Amino acid sequence: ETGVTQSPTHLIKTRGQQVTLRCSSQSGHNTVSWYQQALGQGPQFIFQYYREEENGRGNFPPRFSGLQFPNYSSELNVNALELDDSALYLCASSTTSGGIGDEQFFGPGTRLTVL
Amino acid sequence: AQKITQTQPGMFVQEKEAVTLDCTYDTSDPSYGLFWYKQPSSGEMIFLIYQGSYDQQNATEGRYSLNFQKARKSANLVISASQLGDSAMYFCAMREMSSGNTGKLIFGQGTTLQVKP
């Protein structure tokens, strides 16, 4: 069974650019959530995708957008990058869209640095 | 207001001893779940243990146990017989019924645990 994978591992961009991060969910999982983790902080929920539709969103501006594909892999797109977007971006997959006790399986993350 | 509070930025423990990592939470939902995750320096979040708000008994998973005190809104993680590989960042997280079916997890600030040989 393949776990959650993310690409790229590291990325350096300049302010104002756009970036796309990718996530492959664990086999059998149809739900993907994205989190932003600033240095020294806990992860913050960005949004969740379930069956190719956005299924909930945290307190992030519209320049953070996403996609989920028929194979349940997902992309996180960030436009007009700002310095504060520098963070570890974590993807998590699960088998359902959000039962209270549902375990989310996290990938290794993508470290984004905005200069 | 902080939904999840972890008051210990850093903790040290001697190898083979037990350690308790504190977590308090704030919610008005009657139904919620509490999670603990371990994050090594590699970055991946590793699930450790789960406690549901209606669970009568404290959760245990191997060397991990959760000291759940509902009236005090605390969910402390106890690691018994610490090992060098336990050195990592530990996060307490909560999922509320009011999040609907979004699966949204709310994380605390984390506690860095260092195990001394």
Side-chain angles (χ1 to χ4, degrees):
Chain A
E1 186 178 84
T2 307
V4 179
T5 60
Q6 292 185 243
S7 63
T9 306
H10 296 89
L11 203 52
I12 299 174
K13 291 285 189 178
T14 55
R15 198 169 47 180
Q17 286 188 312
Q18 178 265 342
V19 68
T20 297
L21 310 182
R22 294 177 175 83
C23 171
S24 290
S25 59
Q26 186 161 315
S27 176
H29 290 186
N30 60 13
T31 304
V32 172
S33 301
W34 286 92
Y35 292 83
Q36 180 196 65
Q37 186 179 15
L39 196 61
Q41 305 291 318
Q44 300 284 320
F45 176 76
I46 303 175
F47 45 53
Q48 181 187 80
Y49 275 82
Y50 172 63
R51 293 185 176 177
E52 303 178 54
E53 298 281 336
E54 186 180 292
N55 188 42
R57 190 177 185 93
N59 190 24
F60 281 82
R63 60 188 185 84
F64 285 78
S65 63
L67 283 173
Q68 188 179 31
F69 300 100
N71 67 353
Y72 304 128
S73 66
S74 176
E75 286 183 355
L76 165 65
N77 299 291
V78 187
N79 293 323
L81 283 167
E82 300 177 0
L83 297 179
D84 285 350
D85 295 334
S86 294
L88 180 68
Y89 288 85
L90 293 163
C91 166
S93 73
S94 55
T95 54
T96 65
S97 63
I100 286 287
D102 287 346
E103 182 181 341
Q104 292 185 350
F105 295 80
F106 283 82
T110 293
R111 173 74 61 189
L112 172 64
T113 301
V114 182
L115 302 176
Chain B
Q2 291 279 1
K3 291 261 190 179
I4 297 285
T5 303
Q6 296 181 252
T7 57
Q8 308 152 311
M11 291 279 286
F12 288 93
V13 65
Q14 205 68 36
E15 193 179 8
K16 298 180 185 177
E17 291 187 350
V19 63
T20 298
L21 307 183
D22 295 341
C23 172
T24 57
Y25 60 92
D26 183 24
T27 182
S28 56
D29 279 349
S31 180
Y32 52 90
L34 296 158
F35 300 76
W36 276 91
Y37 284 87
K38 172 184 177 181
Q39 187 177 42
S41 56
S42 58
E44 186 171 348
M45 301 287 275
I46 301 167
F47 166 77
L48 297 177
I49 197 166
Y50 165 78
Q51 179 86 42
S53 59
Y54 292 117
D55 292 344
Q56 295 296 315
Q57 303 213 339
N58 287 343
T60 60
E61 289 284 351
R63 294 187 299 111
Y64 304 108
S65 60
L66 202 152
N67 183 3
F68 181 47
Q69 297 187 46
K70 194 170 181 177
R72 298 179 64 181
K73 293 189 173 178
S74 75
N76 299 338
L77 176 69
V78 180
I79 306 175
S80 63
S82 296
Q83 302 172 355
L84 296 177
D86 293 335
S87 295
M89 188 79 133
Y90 288 80
F91 288 97
C92 179
M94 176 173 65
R95 181 179 289 135
E96 299 172 292
M97 183 176 68
S98 60
S99 294
N101 61 349
T102 68
K104 173 184 175 182
L105 284 170
I106 303 165
F107 286 84
Q109 299 279 73
T111 295
T112 301
L113 176 67
Q114 292 194 38
V115 181
K116 295 180 176 180

PDB file of all heavy atoms in Angstrom, chain A residues 42-71:
ATOM      1  N   GLY A  42       1.675  25.274  14.569  1.00  0.00           N
ATOM      2  CA  GLY A  42       0.910  24.100  14.198  1.00  0.00           C
ATOM      3  C   GLY A  42       0.304  24.287  12.816  1.00  0.00           C
ATOM      4  O   GLY A  42       0.159  25.409  12.340  1.00  0.00           O
ATOM      5  N   PRO A  43      -0.038  23.205  12.143  1.00  0.00           N
ATOM      6  CA  PRO A  43      -0.665  23.314  10.816  1.00  0.00           C
ATOM      7  C   PRO A  43      -2.008  24.039  10.880  1.00  0.00           C
ATOM      8  O   PRO A  43      -2.743  23.919  11.863  1.00  0.00           O
ATOM      9  CB  PRO A  43      -0.858  21.855  10.399  1.00  0.00           C
ATOM     10  CG  PRO A  43       0.118  21.079  11.212  1.00  0.00           C
ATOM     11  CD  PRO A  43       0.201  21.800  12.524  1.00  0.00           C
ATOM     12  N   GLN A  44      -2.306  24.782   9.794  1.00  0.00           N
ATOM     13  CA  GLN A  44      -3.584  25.478   9.647  1.00  0.00           C
ATOM     14  C   GLN A  44      -4.316  24.890   8.441  1.00  0.00           C
ATOM     15  O   GLN A  44      -3.730  24.761   7.360  1.00  0.00           O
ATOM     16  CB  GLN A  44      -3.346  26.976   9.416  1.00  0.00           C
ATOM     17  CG  GLN A  44      -2.599  27.684  10.543  1.00  0.00           C
ATOM     18  CD  GLN A  44      -3.467  27.955  11.737  1.00  0.00           C
ATOM     19  OE1 GLN A  44      -4.630  28.314  11.592  1.00  0.00           O
ATOM     20  NE2 GLN A  44      -2.924  27.783  12.920  1.00  0.00           N
ATOM     21  N   PHE A  45      -5.587  24.578   8.630  1.00  0.00           N
ATOM     22  CA  PHE A  45      -6.407  23.982   7.575  1.00  0.00           C
ATOM     23  C   PHE A  45      -6.646  24.982   6.458  1.00  0.00           C
ATOM     24  O   PHE A  45      -7.133  26.096   6.702  1.00  0.00           O
ATOM     25  CB  PHE A  45      -7.736  23.536   8.195  1.00  0.00           C
ATOM     26  CG  PHE A  45      -8.745  22.976   7.237  1.00  0.00           C
ATOM     27  CD1 PHE A  45      -8.612  21.693   6.729  1.00  0.00           C
ATOM     28  CD2 PHE A  45      -9.858  23.712   6.880  1.00  0.00           C
ATOM     29  CE1 PHE A  45      -9.571  21.155   5.875  1.00  0.00           C
ATOM     30  CE2 PHE A  45     -10.820  23.187   6.031  1.00  0.00           C
ATOM     31  CZ  PHE A  45     -10.677  21.907   5.523  1.00  0.00           C
ATOM     32  N   ILE A  46      -6.322  24.558   5.218  1.00  0.00           N
ATOM     33  CA  ILE A  46      -6.574  25.430   4.057  1.00  0.00           C
ATOM     34  C   ILE A  46      -7.919  25.065   3.436  1.00  0.00           C
ATOM     35  O   ILE A  46      -8.818  25.898   3.343  1.00  0.00           O
ATOM     36  CB  ILE A  46      -5.443  25.305   3.004  1.00  0.00           C
ATOM     37  CG1 ILE A  46      -4.096  25.636   3.622  1.00  0.00           C
ATOM     38  CG2 ILE A  46      -5.741  26.225   1.815  1.00  0.00           C
ATOM     39  CD1 ILE A  46      -2.918  25.405   2.675  1.00  0.00           C
ATOM     40  N   PHE A  47      -8.034  23.841   2.969  1.00  0.00           N
ATOM     41  CA  PHE A  47      -9.293  23.326   2.434  1.00  0.00           C
ATOM     42  C   PHE A  47      -9.239  21.815   2.288  1.00  0.00           C
ATOM     43  O   PHE A  47      -8.187  21.198   2.457  1.00  0.00           O
ATOM     44  CB  PHE A  47      -9.700  23.980   1.100  1.00  0.00           C
ATOM     45  CG  PHE A  47      -8.613  24.128   0.073  1.00  0.00           C
ATOM     46  CD1 PHE A  47      -7.843  23.055  -0.338  1.00  0.00           C
ATOM     47  CD2 PHE A  47      -8.373  25.366  -0.502  1.00  0.00           C
ATOM     48  CE1 PHE A  47      -6.841  23.214  -1.278  1.00  0.00           C
ATOM     49  CE2 PHE A  47      -7.385  25.540  -1.452  1.00  0.00           C
ATOM     50  CZ  PHE A  47      -6.614  24.457  -1.837  1.00  0.00           C
ATOM     51  N   GLN A  48     -10.415  21.255   1.976  1.00  0.00           N
ATOM     52  CA  GLN A  48     -10.523  19.825   1.753  1.00  0.00           C
ATOM     53  C   GLN A  48     -11.235  19.579   0.419  1.00  0.00           C
ATOM     54  O   GLN A  48     -12.151  20.332   0.048  1.00  0.00           O
ATOM     55  CB  GLN A  48     -11.324  19.155   2.862  1.00  0.00           C
ATOM     56  CG  GLN A  48     -11.449  17.637   2.703  1.00  0.00           C
ATOM     57  CD  GLN A  48     -12.392  17.018   3.726  1.00  0.00           C
ATOM     58  OE1 GLN A  48     -13.601  17.062   3.579  1.00  0.00           O
ATOM     59  NE2 GLN A  48     -11.816  16.446   4.771  1.00  0.00           N
ATOM     60  N   TYR A  49     -10.825  18.538  -0.266  1.00  0.00           N
ATOM     61  CA  TYR A  49     -11.474  18.125  -1.503  1.00  0.00           C
ATOM     62  C   TYR A  49     -12.017  16.719  -1.330  1.00  0.00           C
ATOM     63  O   TYR A  49     -11.325  15.813  -0.831  1.00  0.00           O
ATOM     64  CB  TYR A  49     -10.513  18.187  -2.691  1.00  0.00           C
ATOM     65  CG  TYR A  49     -10.466  19.570  -3.275  1.00  0.00           C
ATOM     66  CD1 TYR A  49      -9.660  20.545  -2.696  1.00  0.00           C
ATOM     67  CD2 TYR A  49     -11.253  19.918  -4.360  1.00  0.00           C
ATOM     68  CE1 TYR A  49      -9.640  21.835  -3.203  1.00  0.00           C
ATOM     69  CE2 TYR A  49     -11.236  21.209  -4.872  1.00  0.00           C
ATOM     70  CZ  TYR A  49     -10.433  22.156  -4.280  1.00  0.00           C
ATOM     71  OH  TYR A  49     -10.418  23.434  -4.777  1.00  0.00           O
ATOM     72  N   TYR A  50     -13.269  16.561  -1.731  1.00  0.00           N
ATOM     73  CA  TYR A  50     -13.952  15.268  -1.647  1.00  0.00           C
ATOM     74  C   TYR A  50     -14.661  15.055  -2.965  1.00  0.00           C
ATOM     75  O   TYR A  50     -15.472  15.886  -3.383  1.00  0.00           O
ATOM     76  CB  TYR A  50     -14.933  15.267  -0.484  1.00  0.00           C
ATOM     77  CG  TYR A  50     -15.842  14.059  -0.396  1.00  0.00           C
ATOM     78  CD1 TYR A  50     -15.317  12.791  -0.195  1.00  0.00           C
ATOM     79  CD2 TYR A  50     -17.229  14.194  -0.493  1.00  0.00           C
ATOM     80  CE1 TYR A  50     -16.135  11.681  -0.099  1.00  0.00           C
ATOM     81  CE2 TYR A  50     -18.064  13.099  -0.404  1.00  0.00           C
ATOM     82  CZ  TYR A  50     -17.517  11.839  -0.204  1.00  0.00           C
ATOM     83  OH  TYR A  50     -18.321  10.747  -0.105  1.00  0.00           O
ATOM     84  N   ARG A  51     -14.332  13.961  -3.628  1.00  0.00           N
ATOM     85  CA  ARG A  51     -14.934  13.631  -4.929  1.00  0.00           C
ATOM     86  C   ARG A  51     -14.867  14.825  -5.883  1.00  0.00           C
ATOM     87  O   ARG A  51     -15.884  15.209  -6.475  1.00  0.00           O
ATOM     88  CB  ARG A  51     -16.370  13.159  -4.742  1.00  0.00           C
ATOM     89  CG  ARG A  51     -16.440  11.826  -4.015  1.00  0.00           C
ATOM     90  CD  ARG A  51     -17.858  11.295  -3.935  1.00  0.00           C
ATOM     91  NE  ARG A  51     -17.894   9.970  -3.325  1.00  0.00           N
ATOM     92  CZ  ARG A  51     -19.012   9.287  -3.079  1.00  0.00           C
ATOM     93  NH1 ARG A  51     -20.175   9.801  -3.403  1.00  0.00           N
ATOM     94  NH2 ARG A  51     -18.955   8.100  -2.527  1.00  0.00           N
ATOM     95  N   GLU A  52     -13.713  15.412  -5.968  1.00  0.00           N
ATOM     96  CA  GLU A  52     -13.357  16.463  -6.919  1.00  0.00           C
ATOM     97  C   GLU A  52     -14.011  17.815  -6.649  1.00  0.00           C
ATOM     98  O   GLU A  52     -13.893  18.740  -7.459  1.00  0.00           O
ATOM     99  CB  GLU A  52     -13.676  16.025  -8.363  1.00  0.00           C
ATOM    100  CG  GLU A  52     -12.968  14.731  -8.753  1.00  0.00           C
ATOM    101  CD  GLU A  52     -13.319  14.268 -10.153  1.00  0.00           C
ATOM    102  OE1 GLU A  52     -13.165  15.070 -11.098  1.00  0.00           O
ATOM    103  OE2 GLU A  52     -13.761  13.102 -10.303  1.00  0.00           O
ATOM    104  N   GLU A  53     -14.664  17.955  -5.481  1.00  0.00           N
ATOM    105  CA  GLU A  53     -15.289  19.230  -5.127  1.00  0.00           C
ATOM    106  C   GLU A  53     -14.664  19.765  -3.839  1.00  0.00           C
ATOM    107  O   GLU A  53     -14.355  18.985  -2.923  1.00  0.00           O
ATOM    108  CB  GLU A  53     -16.796  19.058  -4.901  1.00  0.00           C
ATOM    109  CG  GLU A  53     -17.579  18.580  -6.097  1.00  0.00           C
ATOM    110  CD  GLU A  53     -17.855  19.709  -7.076  1.00  0.00           C
ATOM    111  OE1 GLU A  53     -17.863  20.882  -6.657  1.00  0.00           O
ATOM    112  OE2 GLU A  53     -18.050  19.413  -8.275  1.00  0.00           O
ATOM    113  N   GLU A  54     -14.517  21.095  -3.748  1.00  0.00           N
ATOM    114  CA  GLU A  54     -14.064  21.675  -2.486  1.00  0.00           C
ATOM    115  C   GLU A  54     -15.159  21.467  -1.444  1.00  0.00           C
ATOM    116  O   GLU A  54     -16.325  21.817  -1.662  1.00  0.00           O
ATOM    117  CB  GLU A  54     -13.770  23.173  -2.650  1.00  0.00           C
ATOM    118  CG  GLU A  54     -13.153  23.780  -1.397  1.00  0.00           C
ATOM    119  CD  GLU A  54     -12.845  25.265  -1.537  1.00  0.00           C
ATOM    120  OE1 GLU A  54     -11.945  25.625  -2.325  1.00  0.00           O
ATOM    121  OE2 GLU A  54     -13.519  26.062  -0.840  1.00  0.00           O
ATOM    122  N   ASN A  55     -14.768  20.952  -0.303  1.00  0.00           N
ATOM    123  CA  ASN A  55     -15.711  20.475   0.694  1.00  0.00           C
ATOM    124  C   ASN A  55     -15.583  21.212   2.022  1.00  0.00           C
ATOM    125  O   ASN A  55     -16.110  20.772   3.022  1.00  0.00           O
ATOM    126  CB  ASN A  55     -15.443  18.976   0.913  1.00  0.00           C
ATOM    127  CG  ASN A  55     -16.471  18.333   1.787  1.00  0.00           C
ATOM    128  OD1 ASN A  55     -17.643  18.591   1.656  1.00  0.00           O
ATOM    129  ND2 ASN A  55     -16.018  17.502   2.715  1.00  0.00           N
ATOM    130  N   GLY A  56     -14.903  22.310   2.044  1.00  0.00           N
ATOM    131  CA  GLY A  56     -14.697  23.057   3.278  1.00  0.00           C
ATOM    132  C   GLY A  56     -13.426  23.863   3.126  1.00  0.00           C
ATOM    133  O   GLY A  56     -12.486  23.424   2.453  1.00  0.00           O
ATOM    134  N   ARG A  57     -13.392  25.033   3.724  1.00  0.00           N
ATOM    135  CA  ARG A  57     -12.265  25.941   3.547  1.00  0.00           C
ATOM    136  C   ARG A  57     -11.954  26.638   4.857  1.00  0.00           C
ATOM    137  O   ARG A  57     -12.862  27.015   5.599  1.00  0.00           O
ATOM    138  CB  ARG A  57     -12.618  26.975   2.472  1.00  0.00           C
ATOM    139  CG  ARG A  57     -11.464  27.829   2.034  1.00  0.00           C
ATOM    140  CD  ARG A  57     -11.893  28.771   0.912  1.00  0.00           C
ATOM    141  NE  ARG A  57     -10.744  29.504   0.416  1.00  0.00           N
ATOM    142  CZ  ARG A  57      -9.987  29.127  -0.603  1.00  0.00           C
ATOM    143  NH1 ARG A  57     -10.291  28.035  -1.274  1.00  0.00           N
ATOM    144  NH2 ARG A  57      -8.940  29.838  -0.975  1.00  0.00           N
ATOM    145  N   GLY A  58     -10.676  26.797   5.122  1.00  0.00           N
ATOM    146  CA  GLY A  58     -10.248  27.556   6.285  1.00  0.00           C
ATOM    147  C   GLY A  58     -10.139  29.031   5.949  1.00  0.00           C
ATOM    148  O   GLY A  58     -10.603  29.488   4.899  1.00  0.00           O
ATOM    149  N   ASN A  59      -9.488  29.780   6.820  1.00  0.00           N
ATOM    150  CA  ASN A  59      -9.398  31.222   6.670  1.00  0.00           C
ATOM    151  C   ASN A  59      -8.229  31.604   5.758  1.00  0.00           C
ATOM    152  O   ASN A  59      -7.251  32.213   6.195  1.00  0.00           O
ATOM    153  CB  ASN A  59      -9.239  31.859   8.051  1.00  0.00           C
ATOM    154  CG  ASN A  59      -9.376  33.363   8.014  1.00  0.00           C
ATOM    155  OD1 ASN A  59     -10.003  33.905   7.112  1.00  0.00           O
ATOM    156  ND2 ASN A  59      -8.770  34.024   8.971  1.00  0.00           N
ATOM    157  N   PHE A  60      -8.343  31.255   4.498  1.00  0.00           N
ATOM    158  CA  PHE A  60      -7.315  31.568   3.513  1.00  0.00           C
ATOM    159  C   PHE A  60      -7.956  32.313   2.350  1.00  0.00           C
ATOM    160  O   PHE A  60      -9.086  32.024   1.983  1.00  0.00           O
ATOM    161  CB  PHE A  60      -6.636  30.281   3.013  1.00  0.00           C
ATOM    162  CG  PHE A  60      -5.606  29.743   3.980  1.00  0.00           C
ATOM    163  CD1 PHE A  60      -5.993  28.971   5.061  1.00  0.00           C
ATOM    164  CD2 PHE A  60      -4.272  30.028   3.812  1.00  0.00           C
ATOM    165  CE1 PHE A  60      -5.060  28.497   5.966  1.00  0.00           C
ATOM    166  CE2 PHE A  60      -3.317  29.555   4.701  1.00  0.00           C
ATOM    167  CZ  PHE A  60      -3.717  28.793   5.788  1.00  0.00           C
ATOM    168  N   PRO A  61      -7.214  33.271   1.754  1.00  0.00           N
ATOM    169  CA  PRO A  61      -7.777  34.083   0.663  1.00  0.00           C
ATOM    170  C   PRO A  61      -7.970  33.258  -0.609  1.00  0.00           C
ATOM    171  O   PRO A  61      -7.397  32.163  -0.741  1.00  0.00           O
ATOM    172  CB  PRO A  61      -6.725  35.178   0.470  1.00  0.00           C
ATOM    173  CG  PRO A  61      -5.455  34.578   0.970  1.00  0.00           C
ATOM    174  CD  PRO A  61      -5.849  33.668   2.104  1.00  0.00           C
ATOM    175  N   PRO A  62      -8.753  33.800  -1.549  1.00  0.00           N
ATOM    176  CA  PRO A  62      -9.053  33.066  -2.791  1.00  0.00           C
ATOM    177  C   PRO A  62      -7.833  32.755  -3.650  1.00  0.00           C
ATOM    178  O   PRO A  62      -7.905  31.887  -4.527  1.00  0.00           O
ATOM    179  CB  PRO A  62     -10.004  34.030  -3.532  1.00  0.00           C
ATOM    180  CG  PRO A  62     -10.585  34.868  -2.473  1.00  0.00           C
ATOM    181  CD  PRO A  62      -9.516  35.031  -1.436  1.00  0.00           C
ATOM    182  N   ARG A  63      -6.702  33.438  -3.417  1.00  0.00           N
ATOM    183  CA  ARG A  63      -5.529  33.118  -4.225  1.00  0.00           C
ATOM    184  C   ARG A  63      -4.964  31.723  -3.894  1.00  0.00           C
ATOM    185  O   ARG A  63      -4.099  31.220  -4.596  1.00  0.00           O
ATOM    186  CB  ARG A  63      -4.467  34.215  -4.066  1.00  0.00           C
ATOM    187  CG  ARG A  63      -3.968  34.421  -2.671  1.00  0.00           C
ATOM    188  CD  ARG A  63      -3.064  35.671  -2.593  1.00  0.00           C
ATOM    189  NE  ARG A  63      -2.495  35.777  -1.255  1.00  0.00           N
ATOM    190  CZ  ARG A  63      -1.410  35.135  -0.890  1.00  0.00           C
ATOM    191  NH1 ARG A  63      -0.764  34.367  -1.763  1.00  0.00           N
ATOM    192  NH2 ARG A  63      -0.960  35.234   0.344  1.00  0.00           N
ATOM    193  N   PHE A  64      -5.496  31.120  -2.842  1.00  0.00           N
ATOM    194  CA  PHE A  64      -5.225  29.709  -2.554  1.00  0.00           C
ATOM    195  C   PHE A  64      -6.369  28.912  -3.180  1.00  0.00           C
ATOM    196  O   PHE A  64      -7.540  29.067  -2.782  1.00  0.00           O
ATOM    197  CB  PHE A  64      -5.180  29.433  -1.050  1.00  0.00           C
ATOM    198  CG  PHE A  64      -3.935  29.914  -0.378  1.00  0.00           C
ATOM    199  CD1 PHE A  64      -3.770  31.252  -0.065  1.00  0.00           C
ATOM    200  CD2 PHE A  64      -2.919  29.026  -0.036  1.00  0.00           C
ATOM    201  CE1 PHE A  64      -2.614  31.710   0.560  1.00  0.00           C
ATOM    202  CE2 PHE A  64      -1.760  29.474   0.599  1.00  0.00           C
ATOM    203  CZ  PHE A  64      -1.614  30.814   0.889  1.00  0.00           C
ATOM    204  N   SER A  65      -6.061  28.091  -4.143  1.00  0.00           N
ATOM    205  CA  SER A  65      -7.097  27.296  -4.793  1.00  0.00           C
ATOM    206  C   SER A  65      -6.582  25.876  -4.984  1.00  0.00           C
ATOM    207  O   SER A  65      -5.381  25.614  -4.866  1.00  0.00           O
ATOM    208  CB  SER A  65      -7.496  27.907  -6.136  1.00  0.00           C
ATOM    209  OG  SER A  65      -6.388  27.897  -7.022  1.00  0.00           O
ATOM    210  N   GLY A  66      -7.505  24.998  -5.329  1.00  0.00           N
ATOM    211  CA  GLY A  66      -7.095  23.611  -5.472  1.00  0.00           C
ATOM    212  C   GLY A  66      -7.890  22.877  -6.526  1.00  0.00           C
ATOM    213  O   GLY A  66      -8.852  23.393  -7.102  1.00  0.00           O
ATOM    214  N   LEU A  67      -7.444  21.663  -6.754  1.00  0.00           N
ATOM    215  CA  LEU A  67      -8.130  20.751  -7.670  1.00  0.00           C
ATOM    216  C   LEU A  67      -8.000  19.355  -7.105  1.00  0.00           C
ATOM    217  O   LEU A  67      -6.997  19.036  -6.447  1.00  0.00           O
ATOM    218  CB  LEU A  67      -7.476  20.776  -9.055  1.00  0.00           C
ATOM    219  CG  LEU A  67      -7.745  21.931  -9.998  1.00  0.00           C
ATOM    220  CD1 LEU A  67      -6.848  21.801 -11.228  1.00  0.00           C
ATOM    221  CD2 LEU A  67      -9.211  21.965 -10.390  1.00  0.00           C
ATOM    222  N   GLN A  68      -8.995  18.524  -7.406  1.00  0.00           N
ATOM    223  CA  GLN A  68      -8.843  17.097  -7.163  1.00  0.00           C
ATOM    224  C   GLN A  68      -9.197  16.374  -8.455  1.00  0.00           C
ATOM    225  O   GLN A  68     -10.173  16.732  -9.134  1.00  0.00           O
ATOM    226  CB  GLN A  68      -9.735  16.600  -6.022  1.00  0.00           C
ATOM    227  CG  GLN A  68      -9.424  15.150  -5.631  1.00  0.00           C
ATOM    228  CD  GLN A  68     -10.285  14.652  -4.495  1.00  0.00           C
ATOM    229  OE1 GLN A  68     -11.421  15.073  -4.336  1.00  0.00           O
ATOM    230  NE2 GLN A  68      -9.741  13.747  -3.686  1.00  0.00           N
ATOM    231  N   PHE A  69      -8.447  15.374  -8.786  1.00  0.00           N
ATOM    232  CA  PHE A  69      -8.612  14.668 -10.054  1.00  0.00           C
ATOM    233  C   PHE A  69      -9.366  13.363  -9.833  1.00  0.00           C
ATOM    234  O   PHE A  69      -9.510  12.906  -8.700  1.00  0.00           O
ATOM    235  CB  PHE A  69      -7.230  14.419 -10.666  1.00  0.00           C
ATOM    236  CG  PHE A  69      -6.485  15.701 -10.940  1.00  0.00           C
ATOM    237  CD1 PHE A  69      -5.511  16.143 -10.050  1.00  0.00           C
ATOM    238  CD2 PHE A  69      -6.776  16.479 -12.048  1.00  0.00           C
ATOM    239  CE1 PHE A  69      -4.835  17.343 -10.279  1.00  0.00           C
ATOM    240  CE2 PHE A  69      -6.109  17.666 -12.277  1.00  0.00           C
ATOM    241  CZ  PHE A  69      -5.152  18.100 -11.396  1.00  0.00           C
ATOM    242  N   PRO A  70      -9.858  12.748 -10.925  1.00  0.00           N
ATOM    243  CA  PRO A  70     -10.632  11.504 -10.780  1.00  0.00           C
ATOM    244  C   PRO A  70      -9.890  10.396 -10.032  1.00  0.00           C
ATOM    245  O   PRO A  70     -10.514   9.535  -9.424  1.00  0.00           O
ATOM    246  CB  PRO A  70     -10.916  11.098 -12.235  1.00  0.00           C
ATOM    247  CG  PRO A  70     -10.940  12.398 -12.971  1.00  0.00           C
ATOM    248  CD  PRO A  70      -9.880  13.249 -12.310  1.00  0.00           C
ATOM    249  N   ASN A  71      -8.563  10.401 -10.074  1.00  0.00           N
ATOM    250  CA  ASN A  71      -7.810   9.390  -9.324  1.00  0.00           C
ATOM    251  C   ASN A  71      -7.571   9.831  -7.879  1.00  0.00           C
ATOM    252  O   ASN A  71      -6.824   9.184  -7.154  1.00  0.00           O
ATOM    253  CB  ASN A  71      -6.480   9.075 -10.018  1.00  0.00           C
ATOM    254  CG  ASN A  71      -5.520  10.253  -9.992  1.00  0.00           C
ATOM    255  OD1 ASN A  71      -5.874  11.365  -9.564  1.00  0.00           O
ATOM    256  ND2 ASN A  71      -4.307  10.041 -10.459  1.00  0.00           N
TER     257      ASN A  71
END
